[in-house]
Amino acid sequence: MNALPSMSLEGQVAVVTGAGSGIGKAVALALAEAGADVIPCERSGHQDRLGKVCEAIQEVGREAYPASLDLPDLDSIDAMVTHAVGQAGRVDILVNNAGINIPSDALDVTESEWDAVMDVNLKGLFFCSQRVARIMKDHGGGRIVNMASQNGVVAYYKRAAYCSSKAGVVNLTRVLAVEWAPHQINVNAVGPTFILTPLTQSTFDDPDLREDLVSRIPLGRVGQPEDVTGAVVFLCSPAASMITGHTLLVDGGWTAL
């Protein structure tokens, strides 16, 4: 028995939702570099984002099978899973990365805004997990990593719906871990702090807001997508085989204060 557990994902097949940019793109490439073939998913109408992602996956010698995925539409989820199994034969890893945020004061949040955030961040994540877990169960197990947020355990302004959805992800992760442990499916979450991506750039363009965010992070900087990938690869790897139901916070120390 080796004293140092492997973090290799050689021979694994991974689905990554919201893989067209930002954290999802970085995660898809990191999983490929660790040895996995990847099904990167993006919304219909945004498939052009996956071109460079697939090229980068293939450059490290892994296969890429791009897929369309419109959350929380169950027909779209089923079509994605059918595509993944048809192309790669199985799914060993699912990274539920796709998510949205609609900043608004709690007094002003509309029903449509609330539903939109919950539909993608929680409902879509659950049914992706359910559909993929059915495949994993029949193939001896697998790993599911949900992209939660530090805002699933602490609050921040103008994020009533977002914080609620991510808190739901944190506890849903625990529930699925308990229910699916008998099937050897490990379910964990990663909770990043504020990460600089194309989708969050407008947040950081506000100098006062950026200063406030950085002041709350003991390491003194906002995160980059690559800061998140190590945690995801670790939780998908043999090195994390005894970890399930956990949320690993990648927050620069924010929640330690």
Side-chain angles (χ1 to χ4, degrees), residues 74 77-78 81 126-136:
L74 268 62
I77 294 171
D78 288 337
V81 173
F126 170 72
F127 282 105
C128 267
S129 299
Q130 181 196 69
R131 267 38 178 193
V132 171
R134 290 171 178 170
I135 302 300
M136 291 178 171

Side-chain angles (χ1 to χ4, degrees), residues 17-25 41-43 46 49 97-103 120-121 147 159 162 166 194-205 209 223-225:
T17 70
S21 64
I23 294 174
K25 177 180 178 180
C41 305
E42 190 53 81
R43 290 175 293 164
H46 293 80
R49 296 178 180 177
N97 169 75
I100 64 170
N101 176 36
I102 305 175
V120 175
N121 294 1
M147 199 59 65
R159 282 160 175 79
Y162 183 79
K166 293 302 185 177
F194 286 82
I195 304 294
L196 181 58
T197 71
L199 290 178
T200 63
Q201 182 63 59
S202 61
T203 297
F204 298 113
D205 286 342
L209 181 53
Q224 300 291 328

Side-chain angles (χ1 to χ4, degrees), residues 30-108:
L31 294 174
E33 289 187 12
D37 294 332
V38 183
I39 295 96
C41 305
E42 190 53 81
R43 290 175 293 164
S44 58
H46 293 80
Q47 293 297 292
D48 57 309
R49 296 178 180 177
L50 295 179
K52 291 185 177 180
V53 178
C54 292
E55 288 177 9
I57 291 170
Q58 292 163 348
E59 284 175 2
V60 297
R62 307 314 310 176
E63 297 294 335
Y65 307 104
S68 175
L69 179 63
D70 295 308
L71 299 178
D73 184 83
L74 268 62
D75 289 339
S76 180
I77 294 171
D78 288 337
M80 180 276 290
V81 173
T82 298
H83 168 78
V85 174
Q87 293 292 310
R90 66 188 191 282
V91 176
D92 305 294
I93 294 165
L94 168 64
V95 180
N96 282 306
N97 169 75
I100 64 170
N101 176 36
I102 305 175
S104 183
D105 291 322
L107 289 173
D108 300 324

Side-chain angles (χ1 to χ4, degrees), residues 219-230:
L219 286 182
R221 66 177 179 86
V222 298
Q224 300 291 328
E226 291 72 23
D227 291 318
V228 183
T229 59

Side-chain angles (χ1 to χ4, degrees), residues 114-170:
W114 179 275
D115 289 345
V117 173
M118 290 295 179
D119 276 353
V120 175
N121 294 1
L122 193 54
K123 179 180 177 180
L125 180 148
F126 170 72
F127 282 105
C128 267
S129 299
Q130 181 196 69
R131 267 38 178 193
V132 171
R134 290 171 178 170
I135 302 300
M136 291 178 171
K137 179 175 70 71
D138 294 335
H139 288 81
R143 303 294 172 89
I144 296 175
V145 177
N146 298 322
M147 199 59 65
S149 169
Q150 71 175 26
N151 291 132
V153 297
V154 295
Y156 197 71
Y157 307 97
K158 296 187 177 183
R159 282 160 175 79
Y162 183 79
C163 289
S164 298
S165 70
K166 293 302 185 177
V169 171
V170 169

